[in-house]
């Protein structure tokens, strides 16, 4: 990890870990321009032209950028590689610090931003990984009283506490684990709401079973279909950039959470 003492300013935010292609330019807490488009996983063709467009339309010269924030997954192997490779190349060419952001953390914040929930909330992002599996994690947010705007508080008061690392899990097993974790807590420590975000329609029947096993009502178990929004890649990235939590461009790696099929074959059959 490298420490940079660069001033806060404009940053470029990227994520292509799923079917959505997310690109934004932020200046501090302000989102100058943002696009979150379903690119039909054609990111290799669309990403660079979209970066040029958002820079141009936000009147941002590349030399004005103070850093790059990139979603490193987990998610689509090809998609994650495209954003990470693009960020590495730009960071190296422009001599900029780059920050690695969990795509799942940004997706959880994207889904939570739209919900007017108060109390203790578990936020569980989901990206479909096929065969009944999902890339997922667990975060907790506490919203006492009248919920302030998440976007207004994104760099100050609002925060999510990570309770479980990014992983790929069978959603049925994950739901059972969450239910057991819920029941093991003292009643005063249990969440008031459980919010699943992301590709929820593909796993709705499985994750809604948590209501029966925890005793929560269907009103308390929420599903929010959403994508990882570029603004949250940028906001989380701004925090990390301000803290000096950056990565040298050549050392930036995707977070796949598991080896690829090609890597698995190589491990089984070493040359």
């Amino acid at each position: 990890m490298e420490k940079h003492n660069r001033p806060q300013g404009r940053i470029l935010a990227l994520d292509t870990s799923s079917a959505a292609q997310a690109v934004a330019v932020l200046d501090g807490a302000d989102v100058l321009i943002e696009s979150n488009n379903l690119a039909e996983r054609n990111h290799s063709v669309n990403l660079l032209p979209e970066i040029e467009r958002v820079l141009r339309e936000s009147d941002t010269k590349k030399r004005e950028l103070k850093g790059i924030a990139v979603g490193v997954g987990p998610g689509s192997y090809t998609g994650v590689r495209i954003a990470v490779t693009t960020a590495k190349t730009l960071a190296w060419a422009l001599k900029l610090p780059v920050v690695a952001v969990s795509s799942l953390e940004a997706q959880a914040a994207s889904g939570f931003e739209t919900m007017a929930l108060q109390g203790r909330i578990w936020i569980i992002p989901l990206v479909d990984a096929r065969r009944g599996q999902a890339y997922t994690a667990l975060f907790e947010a506490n919203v006492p009283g009248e919920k302030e705007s998440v976007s207004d508080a994104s760099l100050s008061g609002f925060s999510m506490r990570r309770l479980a690392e990014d992983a790929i899990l069978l959603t049925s097993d994950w739901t059972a684990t969450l239910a057991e974790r819920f029941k093991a807590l003292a009643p005063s420590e249990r969440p008031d709401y459980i919010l699943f975000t992301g590709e929820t329609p593909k796993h709705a029947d499985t994750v809604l079973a948590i209501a029966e096993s925890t005793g929560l009502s269907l009103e308390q178990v929420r599903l929010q279909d959403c994508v990882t929004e570029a603004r949250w890649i940028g906001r989380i990235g701004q925090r990390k950039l301000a803290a000096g939590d950056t990565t040298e461009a050549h050392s930036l790696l995707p977070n796949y959470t598991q080896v690829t099929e090609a890597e698995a074959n190589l491990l089984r059959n070493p040359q």
Side-chain angles (χ1 to χ4, degrees):
M1 181 179 73
E2 288 192 342
K3 298 289 185 179
H4 292 268
N5 295 316
R6 295 175 181 266
Q8 287 278 48
R10 296 192 180 195
I11 70 166
L12 177 68
L14 313 171
D15 186 88
T16 57
S17 61
S18 67
Q21 175 182 274
V23 185
V25 176
L26 292 83
D27 190 349
D30 298 326
V31 181
L32 301 183
I33 188 168
E34 177 184 28
S35 69
N36 300 296
N37 299 316
L38 291 177
E40 300 301 329
R41 302 194 186 278
N42 203 16
H43 306 308
S44 60
V45 174
N46 298 326
L47 182 58
L48 286 175
E50 189 65 4
I51 290 172
E52 294 295 336
R53 185 187 73 81
V54 298
L55 290 173
R56 183 176 63 253
E57 294 190 9
S58 64
D59 195 24
T60 302
K61 305 293 189 295
K62 289 179 181 176
R63 65 177 178 272
E64 294 179 283
L65 293 171
K66 302 301 181 183
I68 298 173
V70 59
V72 295
S76 159
Y77 292 130
T78 302
V80 171
R81 283 198 301 270
I82 289 169
V84 169
T85 301
T86 301
K88 290 174 69 163
T89 303
L90 289 172
W92 178 82
L94 300 172
K95 296 179 172 56
L96 292 173
V98 61
V99 291
V101 176
S102 163
S103 301
L104 290 175
E105 182 178 357
Q107 189 223 81
S110 300
F112 179 65
E113 182 177 24
T114 64
M115 307 296 289
L117 300 178
Q118 298 176 9
R120 189 188 302 269
I121 304 108
W122 277 2
I123 308 167
I124 300 117
L126 298 172
V127 173
D128 184 55
R130 301 180 182 178
R131 300 186 182 91
Q133 300 176 109
Y135 299 104
T136 187
L138 174 61
F139 300 89
E140 182 179 76
N142 285 287
V143 186
E146 187 66 24
K147 178 177 176 292
E148 62 180 317
S149 168
V150 173
S151 56
D152 290 345
S154 61
L155 295 176
S156 55
F158 170 69
S159 64
M160 297 187 305
R161 183 167 67 98
R162 182 182 283 275
L163 299 182
E165 295 301 316
D166 296 350
I168 181 171
L169 300 168
L170 284 167
T171 51
S172 56
D173 291 348
W174 181 222
T175 303
T177 298
L178 290 169
E180 290 304 313
R181 183 169 186 155
F182 177 95
K183 290 184 285 189
L185 293 171
S188 61
E189 297 297 315
R190 291 174 179 172
D192 302 293
Y193 295 92
I194 296 178
L195 171 65
F196 292 90
T197 67
E199 297 180 345
T200 54
K202 296 178 180 180
H203 300 275
D205 291 342
T206 302
V207 299
L208 283 174
I210 200 171
E212 182 177 354
S213 53
T214 59
L216 293 175
S217 68
L218 289 178
E219 174 67 20
Q220 292 171 289
V221 178
R222 302 289 188 92
L223 278 63
Q224 180 63 27
D225 186 12
C226 68
V227 299
T228 298
E229 295 182 319
R231 69 180 64 195
W232 280 105
I233 295 290
R235 285 169 176 160
I236 297 168
Q238 286 278 29
R239 291 177 185 167
K240 298 185 77 170
L241 187 63
D245 185 6
T246 65
T247 303
E248 199 279 327
H250 293 295
S251 301
L252 182 68
L253 295 173
N255 176 20
Y256 295 126
T257 72
Q258 66 175 11
V259 297
T260 65
E261 183 175 353
E263 290 168 329
N265 290 335
L266 182 61
L267 291 172
R268 286 193 294 267
N269 303 292
Q271 298 298 320

